[in-house]
Amino acid sequence: AYAKKLASALRSTLAPLARVDVFADPINVRVELALPLGLILNELLTNAFKYGLPRAGESPFPESRQRRDEPDVRVELRRIGDDLRIIVSDRGPGLSQDDIAQVESLGLTLVRALVRQLRGELKVSSDDGARFELTCLLAEGAKNEGERRSPHHPDAHATPPPSASHAPDDAR
């Protein structure tokens, strides 16, 4: 519900004529995860509405990009096992490979810092518009520091060492 409300509020303020579609699985998250995710989603949506649409007076998208049946901005929030995947994409001019590597705006610097805080992964691509894909751990049991760094880290699915609470009865 939050993603739909946020997208609607930003659209009405930044791009009232834009069409936005939000597809979200019903997901409950801890506050420690909800706050950075909300900031990330806000920044990515703001960028999509500001830079992913033609500006007033500019020529519209080339004919190949004018697909009236597709939204201007698309948001997906999906639970995949213990992971959360958020995708924000637009049909704008996109980013060149140099832009992707060198974008250092305050907003994207904040996004990258929050993704690191979540021990997640951010993929940026530009094929028929800009696309930002965030994947991070959602599972409650892996919130302790060091248990899993990223859902895509080589050690992410390693079994944690046994703890005292899991020791055999005669070892206590």
Side-chain angles (χ1 to χ4, degrees):
Y2 174 76
K4 288 182 181 183
K5 289 179 184 177
L6 179 62
S8 178
L10 290 172
R11 182 193 58 78
S12 67
T13 301
L14 299 171
L17 300 178
R19 182 170 156 221
V20 61
D21 284 352
V22 177
F23 302 94
D25 292 340
I27 302 170
N28 293 317
V29 297
R30 312 180 307 279
V31 171
E32 298 85 12
L33 190 60
L35 293 174
L37 287 175
L39 291 170
I40 290 168
L41 187 58
N42 182 73
E43 186 59 37
L44 294 179
L45 279 168
T46 297
N47 284 348
F49 288 124
K50 286 173 71 174
Y51 306 112
L53 307 170
R55 299 173 196 254
E58 288 185 356
S59 61
F61 297 122
E63 189 61 36
S64 64
R65 304 269 298 273
Q66 292 181 7
R67 293 173 301 232
R68 304 202 191 298
D69 58 333
E70 291 188 15
D72 298 307
V73 176
R74 179 181 171 99
V75 180
E76 294 181 51
L77 285 88
R78 301 287 185 215
R79 182 180 189 130
I80 302 170
D82 289 340
D83 294 341
L84 172 66
R85 179 166 299 141
I86 298 175
I87 300 171
V88 177
S89 59
D90 62 56
R91 295 190 312 136
L95 302 164
S96 70
Q97 288 303 321
D98 289 338
D99 289 340
I100 291 171
Q102 296 178 6
V103 170
E104 292 300 326
S105 69
L106 178 60
L108 286 180
T109 300
L110 173 66
V111 167
R112 288 186 176 117
L114 291 168
V115 169
R116 277 192 305 275
Q117 175 186 327
L118 295 172
R119 288 181 238 107
E121 179 182 38
L122 181 66
K123 294 179 184 176
V124 181
S125 60
S126 187
D127 182 32
D128 217 13
R131 175 184 163 101
F132 294 83
E133 180 177 328
L134 164 68
T135 304
C136 66
L137 185 64
L138 220 154
E140 181 69 28
K143 68 180 180 181
N144 297 327
E145 189 71 32
E147 277 189 41
R148 283 177 58 177
R149 285 180 234 168
S150 162
H152 302 287
H153 188 276
D155 298 330
H157 301 287
T159 305
S163 65
S165 63
H166 291 88
D169 289 332
D170 60 342
R172 289 184 196 172

